Amino acid sequence: MATQTRATRMELLRLRKKLSLARRGHKLLKDKLDELMRQFKILIGEYMGQRQDLEEELMRAYGEFLFARAGMERAGILDALRYPGAEARLSVSTRRVMNLQLPVLEVGLEGDVRNYGMFDTPAELDDALEVYKEVLPRIIQLAQQEKAISLLADEIDTTRRRVNALEYKMIPEQEEAIRYIRLRLDEMERGNLTRLMKVKAMMEEKREQKRQARAESR
């Protein structure tokens, strides 16, 4: 880049302004990256803990359901679960983190999940459905966290690439160009000074010759 840069004071001023802007942009992006990483770590910690708890609850529900399935015919299970008595309502909104819109999901349940006769079904089926009812909001919560984590990861990757581009390419290139221009300007200034000194010496020599000529003519 330096070899293609015009060695002028106007170009030096322009590059200094551009470098100052790049450094400010780098600092802002670095601060943004740090905040994104902080939010990402918080979400990951919450997600991993809740996922482990949820998997344990689901395993318990699966076990209860298997006991219920073992004590009933397939047709009886299908008939008991054919007409759900509960209805889930999902509301969707967003929350802002930096420049990202992260999803916020909330679910509400209305009705009774046990919409069947109590004498024809085992208690294990009741227990399994109650667990499913309890964990449904947590499943939605995990889905919300997974989407937020995915969005944050993409934004972190994009921001890190921009930070690296500024830190390892754009800023060093501009600094190199500024050094090149300063060296060229210093070199030209030394050259001009040398020429001025030579001109001054020549003029003094001519004045001395004239003085000598006038002295000899007397």
Side-chain angles (χ1 to χ4, degrees), residues 28-46 95 97-100 102 148-161 163-164:
L28 291 174
L29 285 174
K30 193 70 169 59
D31 292 342
K32 175 184 176 181
L33 181 60
D34 292 341
E35 177 61 19
L36 288 172
M37 288 298 299
R38 188 181 73 84
Q39 293 287 339
F40 184 79
K41 290 178 181 179
I42 291 174
L43 277 176
I44 284 291
E46 293 176 351
R95 66 183 180 94
V97 174
M98 307 300 287
N99 62 321
L100 291 177
L102 302 183
I149 289 170
S150 175
L151 292 172
L152 278 172
D154 291 341
E155 187 66 16
I156 287 171
D157 184 58
T158 300
T159 304
R160 182 180 287 115
R161 287 201 302 270
V163 168
N164 290 340

Side-chain angles (χ1 to χ4, degrees), residues 10-161:
M10 288 296 294
E11 183 68 9
L12 179 61
L13 181 61
R14 186 187 71 83
L15 283 176
R16 280 176 173 171
K17 290 181 178 178
K18 190 175 180 181
L19 177 60
S20 177
L21 181 63
R23 284 173 173 167
R24 289 199 300 270
H26 176 266
K27 184 180 183 306
L28 291 174
L29 285 174
K30 193 70 169 59
D31 292 342
K32 175 184 176 181
L33 181 60
D34 292 341
E35 177 61 19
L36 288 172
M37 288 298 299
R38 188 181 73 84
Q39 293 287 339
F40 184 79
K41 290 178 181 179
I42 291 174
L43 277 176
I44 284 291
E46 293 176 351
Y47 174 79
M48 295 304 294
Q50 293 182 17
R51 184 183 180 91
Q52 183 176 358
D53 293 341
L54 180 61
E55 288 178 348
E56 292 175 358
E57 291 294 321
L58 287 175
M59 288 299 295
R60 183 166 68 88
Y62 294 154
E64 297 288 351
F65 190 80
L66 286 176
F67 278 117
R69 175 68 181 85
M72 295 181 64
E73 296 292 335
R74 176 180 175 82
I77 287 285
L78 294 177
D79 187 61
L81 302 177
R82 189 181 305 277
Y83 302 105
E87 181 177 344
R89 296 185 180 275
L90 182 67
S91 63
V92 182
S93 59
T94 59
R95 66 183 180 94
R96 190 174 184 85
V97 174
M98 307 300 287
N99 62 321
L100 291 177
Q101 294 288 343
L102 302 183
V104 177
L105 307 178
E106 295 182 359
V107 63
L109 289 174
E110 298 178 358
D112 190 356
V113 294
R114 295 176 294 184
N115 191 31
Y116 47 78
M118 306 299 293
F119 297 103
D120 299 330
T121 55
E124 288 82 3
L125 181 59
D126 299 344
D127 295 338
L129 292 179
E130 284 298 326
V131 174
Y132 288 140
K133 178 182 178 181
E134 292 174 4
V135 301
L136 178 59
R138 294 163 61 185
I139 293 174
I140 299 299
Q141 180 72 17
L142 280 183
Q144 168 190 310
Q145 291 175 330
E146 286 182 355
K147 183 61 177 178
I149 289 170
S150 175
L151 292 172
L152 278 172
D154 291 341
E155 187 66 16
I156 287 171
D157 184 58
T158 300
T159 304
R160 182 180 287 115
R161 287 201 302 270

Side-chain angles (χ1 to χ4, degrees), residues 1-7 11-12 14-15 171-184:
M1 178 179 176
T3 57
Q4 300 176 358
T5 302
R6 294 174 299 169
E11 183 68 9
L12 179 61
R14 186 187 71 83
L15 283 176
I171 291 177
E173 285 182 351
Q174 291 175 355
E175 290 174 340
E176 180 187 355
I178 288 173
R179 283 195 298 270
Y180 167 76
I181 292 177
R182 291 179 62 181
L183 288 173
R184 289 287 295 154

